[in-house]
Structures are given as C-alpha cells and as structure tokens.
Amino acid sequence: MTITEHTTQLMSSRFRGYYPVVIDIETAGFNPKTDAMLEIAACLLTFNPVGELEVLQKIQFNVEPFEGANLEQAALDFTGIDPHNPLRGAVTEEHALKEMFKPIRKALKAHGCNRAVMVAHNAAFDMGFFNAAVERCNIKRNPFHPFVSFDTTSISALALGQTVLAKACREAGLEFSNQEAHSALYDAEKTAELFCLIVNKWQSLGGWPLPQPSEQNEQA
C-alpha cells in the first residue's frame, strides 16, 4: 500500500504522534529477567484510503533462548514450542529486535510519527519481556516508548465486555482458532484485527475526530 500525505496526516494526528505496533511474544515462563523469549511477532498498521485502520505489514521471528535462560516445562507444554528444534530457524534476541526495528522506523517516518507505541493483549506482560530483551542486548536506539502501551485487554473490556483475546474476537465477529493460538504471529494478527476493529468502530460511531471548540459552540 502506498503511504499518502492523507494517510500520514491521519496517523500522525490520531494517537498524539505515536505509531501503534501490535506485538505478541511467546515465552518459556512469566519472569522477563530469567525466562526465555521464544517467539516475537509484530503487525505494523496504517490507514486505508477510506480512513480505516488496517494491517500494513507482518514480521515474525523464532528466537533462541538467551544464555542461561530458564525454560519452564509448563510454559513449553502450553505453547507447544520446542526451543531445541533445529527446524525452527531461530535467531538471537539481538538479531530479531534489530531486524524488527528497521521496518518499524521506516513506517514511523512514512506516517509522520515520532515514537512507536506497543499494542498488545495484556501489554504489561509483553512489554516486560520486550524491554528485558532490549536491555540484555544493550540496544540504544529503541523506537518504542519505554512505558506507554495500548492494552487491548482494557480496550476490549470497554468495547465488547470481554477480556480474553479469543472471547473478545468472537464477540467482535472475528474468527479465532484455538488450535492456531499461542503462536506469536497468529496472536499478533488477531490482536491487530481486534484493535483495528475497535478503533474503526469508535470512529464510525462519531467518537473520532473530536469536535473542535467552534463546532461545539455552534451546536450549543
């Protein structure tokens, strides 16, 4: 898709200069300091010609556990990931993050935004593992805001009355496969679809753009 001047104006003004990037991370536990990150996926977003938010690009990496990382068997059983499988084509955390940052920086510039913001389901979890990996790899040029995030758990609770990703998607009329879930790419795709649907629905209901003071005075 071509990024037009109109698209740039829409994105740069929609989230106060932040560029939303949907992230999902699959891990070998719950502690970002000690447990391995095993998969990471990102969905970059844009506005289409009719002004609706949609997925622009998808990125995914299988990740090697960092040296000394803890691998909780219960977590591996839950995700179905075998971190030792040579067919995974896994890369280091540093490689995955640096390669992911390249298209994100390009999209930031194309959309006239100054910082990426993480969109995730239960964002505190993904942000914890993401920031821990960035710190381990000593990456200085991180395009993401260090603590601001858009949590689709909260957004879905407000818009749909659901907090579980699968239930929120189904409530929104989106297909969701339990068999494909707990893959970073699949969960990122579904989170992105859900986020876009809610943002677009809010716009269609008249919630965005906000009325300007002159418009409010005229209506009064």
Side-chain angles (χ1 to χ4, degrees):
M1 176 185 294
T2 302
I3 307 301
T4 66
E5 184 177 343
H6 179 59
T7 301
T8 299
Q9 195 280 326
L10 288 174
M11 185 66 82
S12 63
S13 62
R14 182 60 181 87
F15 305 106
R16 64 175 297 266
Y18 291 152
Y19 177 71
V21 179
V22 182
I23 296 288
D24 189 82
I25 297 174
E26 298 300 324
T27 71
F30 296 102
N31 188 328
K33 297 293 186 182
T34 60
D35 299 340
M37 177 170 71
L38 301 177
E39 293 182 7
I40 185 169
C43 290
L44 281 58
L45 307 180
T46 194
F47 282 100
N48 64 25
V50 297
E52 295 177 332
L53 194 63
E54 63 180 31
V55 175
L56 172 67
Q57 183 179 357
K58 303 171 187 178
I59 311 161
Q60 186 269 344
F61 290 98
N62 293 330
V63 182
E64 298 172 356
F66 64 89
E67 186 175 354
N70 181 52
L71 302 172
E72 290 290 340
Q73 190 59 48
L76 301 180
D77 293 341
F78 181 72
T79 62
I81 298 172
D82 177 3
H84 306 297
N85 186 343
L87 300 179
R88 293 179 70 226
V91 299
T92 65
E93 287 182 331
E94 183 176 12
H95 178 89
L97 292 172
K98 287 185 174 180
E99 288 303 307
M100 185 170 284
F101 288 169
K102 291 177 183 178
I104 290 173
R105 289 194 186 96
K106 184 177 179 180
L108 270 172
K109 183 177 180 180
H111 288 90
C113 295
N114 51 48
R115 206 76 184 265
V117 62
M118 182 181 294
V119 181
H121 207 75
N122 296 315
F125 178 87
D126 296 271
M127 180 168 279
F129 274 87
F130 182 88
N131 286 341
V134 168
E135 183 178 348
R136 272 193 300 271
C137 298
N138 196 29
I139 297 175
K140 302 301 183 183
R141 294 185 62 240
N142 177 2
F144 282 86
H145 195 288
F147 57 84
V148 173
S149 64
F150 298 163
D151 189 348
T152 51
T153 310
S154 302
I155 298 171
S156 298
L158 173 66
L160 301 164
Q162 298 289 348
T163 58
V164 176
L165 179 59
K167 292 182 178 180
C169 285
R170 291 175 182 136
E171 188 69 26
L174 301 173
E175 292 184 0
F176 192 94
S177 169
N178 289 328
Q179 286 70 40
E180 295 184 69
H182 309 305
S183 148
L185 182 58
Y186 186 80
D187 286 358
E189 289 174 338
K190 289 302 168 182
T191 302
E193 289 178 26
L194 185 64
F195 179 68
C196 290
L197 183 146
I198 294 173
V199 170
N200 294 335
K201 185 67 173 179
W202 178 250
Q203 179 169 294
S204 71
L205 291 173
W208 186 268
L210 297 173
Q212 298 303 306
S214 58
E215 296 175 5
Q216 292 176 328
N217 292 336
E218 289 173 5
Q219 292 173 0

